[in-house]
Amino acid sequence: MNIQPLASSCRVLFRTLIPAAVLCCSTFGSAQDLKTDARQAISKAAGYYVREVAVHGGYVYYYSPDLKKRHGEGPATATQIWVQPPGTPTVGLALLDAYEATQEPWLLEAATAAAEALIYGQLQSGAWTNSIDFNPRGQTAQYRNGKGKGRNFSTLDDGISQAALQLLMRIDKAHMFRHPAVRDAVQTGLDAMLAAQFDNGAFPQGWDETPVAVTQPIKKASFPEYDWRTEGRIREYWDMYTLNDGAAGTIAQTLLVADRIYGTPSTTAELQPDLRYRKALQRLGEFLILAQLPEPQPAWAQQYSFQMHPIWARRFEPAAVASRESQDVIRTLMKIAAVTEDDRYLKPIPAALQYLQRSLLPDGRLSRYYELQSNRPLYMSRSGKNYSLTYDDRDLPNHYGWKIQSEIAELTAAYTDAVQHRSPTTARISPAEVQQILNDLDDSHRWLSRYDGEPLSGQPKFADGEQYLNSDVFSRNLTKLSEFILSE
């Protein structure tokens, strides 16, 4: 399938929406009016991304400067877009931020196009997988629109469905709940997500056909009495209770957005307050309390069995205490406590912070995994496709984050604010940072990145010094400029 005509028609469409002044070359405004300069930069940068980069309104992670190479969680074809952040939802949310700051109608149209691209790839099971293909010959998933074939697995891994829903919900609100396709996609996705929540408040990694949340006994987390190295592995671990890759935080944020938009009286008569999202958020908090392991490791695992024992996921993800997920849970509990005004959700945090503090590595970082009960930092060695557990960190596989940055100081400060019921202070973007963002925009209205060996999502194979477009950088810069415009 040749998408060139489609891409061309997309450019023609948005050229009719984007003001002509945006398309011509111009210099930034005076330094005395930085907000005016920021508005112009938003128009130029977003105009380029919408006209030249989008495919059917959607985006991937990275692009070569000539846009011939596209990369998501692996190389992307000319007809693919990515749902997983920092793909289509990330860019769409930034475009929506820009619209709310500038009130330029074409930015809402562009953000809506991103939402409509997600709607095209919404699965029959109600949510999303990591990518969407507009070429029928490349479709490997079953879409609600009747297109595609293959898997029908809606996933909460890597914040995929959560990000899609967050964009769609905000687009729904921006259109005053009167965009029928968006309204339908939001309700279908939220209903499926709520149906997947277990009785104890946990969520699975995903679901196929219909959610798998069957009734299970509600238990407190505990260490397994069997040999976890060789026993207790569950092949379909994705059906179990999961916190992997920040699931607690992204699910909580999605429920919070849903509660803010749909849980209060609407500005239109069509929608009545829906209290399900606040209840689901509270139930998630209950699970996080239950999932805290006992001493000597009062923190959290990546994945749990229905017996509430830590379990293996992929062959390089052992049953262990997981520091990355533990830090995410601590942040999430504080968020739930603030929203619900219930300090009960804060009670697990002091012991968890003390545990993380005494688990620091000599370099001040945390091991991703700690062995159950012994608390020794736990790693993996690799030979071909085979992995084996090790305590040795000298030759680690380079496809995974085996050590992470400690956030103990930041979390401790946030906890102090939480127990004293103080609103956390949020850093405002400075004029100097705004000016740097403006200066970094090149003559073609792009923020180009240069590869310097840093770890990147999707592990693209860039050469040292190679330039590329990064949807995450574009989105962060656009949102920062938007926040600055709205600041007092």
Side-chain angles (χ1 to χ4, degrees), residues 158-180:
D158 292 313
I160 291 170
S161 295
Q162 299 92 303
L165 280 169
Q166 287 176 41
L167 173 60
L168 285 163
M169 286 188 286
R170 284 187 56 191
I171 291 290
D172 194 22
K173 182 180 179 181
H175 284 279
M176 298 295 290
F177 314 108
R178 293 179 181 131
H179 188 305

mmCIF file of all heavy atoms in Angstrom, residues 158-180:
data_model
loop_
_atom_site.group_PDB
_atom_site.id
_atom_site.type_symbol
_atom_site.label_atom_id
_atom_site.label_comp_id
_atom_site.label_asym_id
_atom_site.label_seq_id
_atom_site.Cartn_x
_atom_site.Cartn_y
_atom_site.Cartn_z
ATOM 1 N N ASP A 158 3.238 -0.772 30.155
ATOM 2 C CA ASP A 158 3.903 0.430 29.649
ATOM 3 C C ASP A 158 2.956 1.617 29.478
ATOM 4 O O ASP A 158 3.219 2.521 28.675
ATOM 5 C CB ASP A 158 4.606 0.140 28.320
ATOM 6 C CG ASP A 158 5.793 -0.808 28.482
ATOM 7 O OD1 ASP A 158 6.597 -0.578 29.398
ATOM 8 O OD2 ASP A 158 5.894 -1.764 27.708
ATOM 9 N N GLY A 159 1.838 1.608 30.195
ATOM 10 C CA GLY A 159 0.908 2.726 30.134
ATOM 11 C C GLY A 159 0.208 2.888 28.803
ATOM 12 O O GLY A 159 -0.305 3.971 28.484
ATOM 13 N N ILE A 160 0.116 1.819 28.014
ATOM 14 C CA ILE A 160 -0.377 1.920 26.640
ATOM 15 C C ILE A 160 -1.841 2.334 26.590
ATOM 16 O O ILE A 160 -2.194 3.394 26.057
ATOM 17 C CB ILE A 160 -0.141 0.593 25.892
ATOM 18 C CG1 ILE A 160 1.356 0.395 25.659
ATOM 19 C CG2 ILE A 160 -0.905 0.559 24.565
ATOM 20 C CD1 ILE A 160 1.747 -0.979 25.155
ATOM 21 N N SER A 161 -2.725 1.507 27.127
ATOM 22 C CA SER A 161 -4.150 1.842 27.086
ATOM 23 C C SER A 161 -4.464 3.042 27.962
ATOM 24 O O SER A 161 -5.375 3.824 27.654
ATOM 25 C CB SER A 161 -4.985 0.632 27.524
ATOM 26 O OG SER A 161 -4.844 -0.434 26.601
ATOM 27 N N GLN A 162 -3.699 3.208 29.037
ATOM 28 C CA GLN A 162 -3.922 4.339 29.920
ATOM 29 C C GLN A 162 -3.679 5.662 29.183
ATOM 30 O O GLN A 162 -4.457 6.614 29.302
ATOM 31 C CB GLN A 162 -2.998 4.251 31.143
ATOM 32 C CG GLN A 162 -3.212 3.018 32.000
ATOM 33 C CD GLN A 162 -2.318 1.850 31.612
ATOM 34 O OE1 GLN A 162 -2.338 1.414 30.461
ATOM 35 N NE2 GLN A 162 -1.545 1.345 32.547
ATOM 36 N N ALA A 163 -2.582 5.726 28.422
ATOM 37 C CA ALA A 163 -2.271 6.957 27.690
ATOM 38 C C ALA A 163 -3.326 7.243 26.634
ATOM 39 O O ALA A 163 -3.749 8.395 26.456
ATOM 40 C CB ALA A 163 -0.885 6.840 27.042
ATOM 41 N N ALA A 164 -3.755 6.204 25.934
ATOM 42 C CA ALA A 164 -4.796 6.393 24.916
ATOM 43 C C ALA A 164 -6.071 6.941 25.546
ATOM 44 O O ALA A 164 -6.686 7.881 25.025
ATOM 45 C CB ALA A 164 -5.070 5.074 24.205
ATOM 46 N N LEU A 165 -6.470 6.376 26.667
ATOM 47 C CA LEU A 165 -7.695 6.830 27.324
ATOM 48 C C LEU A 165 -7.570 8.256 27.842
ATOM 49 O O LEU A 165 -8.515 9.040 27.771
ATOM 50 C CB LEU A 165 -8.056 5.878 28.465
ATOM 51 C CG LEU A 165 -8.750 4.582 28.048
ATOM 52 C CD1 LEU A 165 -8.807 3.596 29.210
ATOM 53 C CD2 LEU A 165 -10.151 4.875 27.525
ATOM 54 N N GLN A 166 -6.404 8.606 28.364
ATOM 55 C CA GLN A 166 -6.231 9.962 28.881
ATOM 56 C C GLN A 166 -6.378 10.997 27.771
ATOM 57 O O GLN A 166 -7.002 12.047 27.964
ATOM 58 C CB GLN A 166 -4.887 10.087 29.581
ATOM 59 C CG GLN A 166 -4.850 9.371 30.928
ATOM 60 C CD GLN A 166 -3.485 9.400 31.593
ATOM 61 O OE1 GLN A 166 -2.800 10.419 31.571
ATOM 62 N NE2 GLN A 166 -3.070 8.287 32.172
ATOM 63 N N LEU A 167 -5.817 10.718 26.593
ATOM 64 C CA LEU A 167 -6.008 11.642 25.479
ATOM 65 C C LEU A 167 -7.468 11.691 25.051
ATOM 66 O O LEU A 167 -8.050 12.773 24.887
ATOM 67 C CB LEU A 167 -5.135 11.247 24.288
ATOM 68 C CG LEU A 167 -5.376 12.060 23.008
ATOM 69 C CD1 LEU A 167 -5.120 13.544 23.245
ATOM 70 C CD2 LEU A 167 -4.537 11.536 21.855
ATOM 71 N N LEU A 168 -8.074 10.541 24.901
ATOM 72 C CA LEU A 168 -9.463 10.501 24.443
ATOM 73 C C LEU A 168 -10.408 11.199 25.416
ATOM 74 O O LEU A 168 -11.339 11.899 25.006
ATOM 75 C CB LEU A 168 -9.900 9.057 24.215
ATOM 76 C CG LEU A 168 -9.338 8.404 22.948
ATOM 77 C CD1 LEU A 168 -9.474 6.904 23.014
ATOM 78 C CD2 LEU A 168 -10.050 8.940 21.711
ATOM 79 N N MET A 169 -10.175 11.034 26.704
ATOM 80 C CA MET A 169 -11.032 11.687 27.695
ATOM 81 C C MET A 169 -10.911 13.205 27.618
ATOM 82 O O MET A 169 -11.915 13.929 27.672
ATOM 83 C CB MET A 169 -10.688 11.196 29.105
ATOM 84 C CG MET A 169 -11.172 9.791 29.395
ATOM 85 S SD MET A 169 -10.960 9.328 31.134
ATOM 86 C CE MET A 169 -9.192 9.054 31.241
ATOM 87 N N ARG A 170 -9.691 13.689 27.480
ATOM 88 C CA ARG A 170 -9.514 15.144 27.402
ATOM 89 C C ARG A 170 -10.069 15.699 26.086
ATOM 90 O O ARG A 170 -10.607 16.805 26.055
ATOM 91 C CB ARG A 170 -8.038 15.496 27.576
ATOM 92 C CG ARG A 170 -7.575 15.392 29.034
ATOM 93 C CD ARG A 170 -6.176 15.912 29.210
ATOM 94 N NE ARG A 170 -6.038 17.291 28.737
ATOM 95 C CZ ARG A 170 -4.855 17.903 28.593
ATOM 96 N NH1 ARG A 170 -3.733 17.243 28.888
ATOM 97 N NH2 ARG A 170 -4.798 19.143 28.156
ATOM 98 N N ILE A 171 -9.956 14.925 25.011
ATOM 99 C CA ILE A 171 -10.553 15.346 23.740
ATOM 100 C C ILE A 171 -12.080 15.356 23.862
ATOM 101 O O ILE A 171 -12.764 16.260 23.362
ATOM 102 C CB ILE A 171 -10.110 14.421 22.591
ATOM 103 C CG1 ILE A 171 -8.623 14.629 22.294
ATOM 104 C CG2 ILE A 171 -10.950 14.649 21.342
ATOM 105 C CD1 ILE A 171 -8.286 15.952 21.652
ATOM 106 N N ASP A 172 -12.620 14.353 24.542
ATOM 107 C CA ASP A 172 -14.064 14.296 24.776
ATOM 108 C C ASP A 172 -14.545 15.566 25.476
ATOM 109 O O ASP A 172 -15.528 16.193 25.069
ATOM 110 C CB ASP A 172 -14.377 13.057 25.622
ATOM 111 C CG ASP A 172 -15.850 12.698 25.654
ATOM 112 O OD1 ASP A 172 -16.591 13.108 24.727
ATOM 113 O OD2 ASP A 172 -16.265 11.993 26.594
ATOM 114 N N LYS A 173 -13.813 15.968 26.498
ATOM 115 C CA LYS A 173 -14.179 17.181 27.232
ATOM 116 C C LYS A 173 -14.013 18.422 26.356
ATOM 117 O O LYS A 173 -14.865 19.323 26.379
ATOM 118 C CB LYS A 173 -13.313 17.310 28.487
ATOM 119 C CG LYS A 173 -13.656 18.528 29.339
ATOM 120 C CD LYS A 173 -12.768 18.603 30.573
ATOM 121 C CE LYS A 173 -13.096 19.840 31.398
ATOM 122 N NZ LYS A 173 -12.216 19.945 32.592
ATOM 123 N N ALA A 174 -12.926 18.479 25.579
ATOM 124 C CA ALA A 174 -12.690 19.648 24.728
ATOM 125 C C ALA A 174 -13.805 19.835 23.710
ATOM 126 O O ALA A 174 -14.114 20.966 23.319
ATOM 127 C CB ALA A 174 -11.343 19.511 24.019
ATOM 128 N N HIS A 175 -14.430 18.719 23.288
ATOM 129 C CA HIS A 175 -15.540 18.784 22.336
ATOM 130 C C HIS A 175 -16.893 18.817 23.052
ATOM 131 O O HIS A 175 -17.924 18.565 22.424
ATOM 132 C CB HIS A 175 -15.482 17.597 21.381
ATOM 133 C CG HIS A 175 -14.429 17.723 20.320
ATOM 134 N ND1 HIS A 175 -14.616 18.464 19.180
ATOM 135 C CD2 HIS A 175 -13.175 17.225 20.238
ATOM 136 C CE1 HIS A 175 -13.531 18.401 18.424
ATOM 137 N NE2 HIS A 175 -12.631 17.663 19.044
ATOM 138 N N MET A 176 -16.857 19.113 24.367
ATOM 139 C CA MET A 176 -18.092 19.206 25.154
ATOM 140 C C MET A 176 -18.903 17.923 25.070
ATOM 141 O O MET A 176 -20.135 17.930 25.078
ATOM 142 C CB MET A 176 -18.926 20.402 24.689
ATOM 143 C CG MET A 176 -18.233 21.748 24.877
ATOM 144 S SD MET A 176 -17.964 22.144 26.612
ATOM 145 C CE MET A 176 -19.644 22.443 27.137
ATOM 146 N N PHE A 177 -18.214 16.778 24.966
ATOM 147 C CA PHE A 177 -18.831 15.448 24.967
ATOM 148 C C PHE A 177 -19.773 15.241 23.777
ATOM 149 O O PHE A 177 -20.685 14.429 23.837
ATOM 150 C CB PHE A 177 -19.572 15.193 26.282
ATOM 151 C CG PHE A 177 -18.779 15.583 27.501
ATOM 152 C CD1 PHE A 177 -19.111 16.703 28.246
ATOM 153 C CD2 PHE A 177 -17.676 14.846 27.888
ATOM 154 C CE1 PHE A 177 -18.360 17.086 29.352
ATOM 155 C CE2 PHE A 177 -16.918 15.204 29.000
ATOM 156 C CZ PHE A 177 -17.262 16.319 29.738
ATOM 157 N N ARG A 178 -19.509 15.970 22.693
ATOM 158 C CA ARG A 178 -20.417 15.915 21.547
ATOM 159 C C ARG A 178 -19.726 15.406 20.291
ATOM 160 O O ARG A 178 -20.167 15.709 19.186
ATOM 161 C CB ARG A 178 -21.038 17.296 21.314
ATOM 162 C CG ARG A 178 -21.982 17.690 22.463
ATOM 163 C CD ARG A 178 -22.596 19.055 22.271
ATOM 164 N NE ARG A 178 -23.465 19.375 23.407
ATOM 165 C CZ ARG A 178 -23.420 20.512 24.077
ATOM 166 N NH1 ARG A 178 -22.532 21.447 23.736
ATOM 167 N NH2 ARG A 178 -24.238 20.748 25.086
ATOM 168 N N HIS A 179 -18.624 14.682 20.459
ATOM 169 C CA HIS A 179 -17.969 14.011 19.342
ATOM 170 C C HIS A 179 -18.328 12.528 19.487
ATOM 171 O O HIS A 179 -17.747 11.825 20.308
ATOM 172 C CB HIS A 179 -16.452 14.218 19.419
ATOM 173 C CG HIS A 179 -15.697 13.732 18.225
ATOM 174 N ND1 HIS A 179 -15.789 12.445 17.747
ATOM 175 C CD2 HIS A 179 -14.820 14.375 17.399
ATOM 176 C CE1 HIS A 179 -14.998 12.310 16.702
ATOM 177 N NE2 HIS A 179 -14.401 13.469 16.464
ATOM 178 N N PRO A 180 -19.300 12.023 18.734
ATOM 179 C CA PRO A 180 -19.843 10.680 18.987
ATOM 180 C C PRO A 180 -18.803 9.572 18.985
ATOM 181 O O PRO A 180 -18.842 8.683 19.849
ATOM 182 C CB PRO A 180 -20.855 10.485 17.849
ATOM 183 C CG PRO A 180 -21.246 11.869 17.451
ATOM 184 C CD PRO A 180 -20.016 12.706 17.632
#
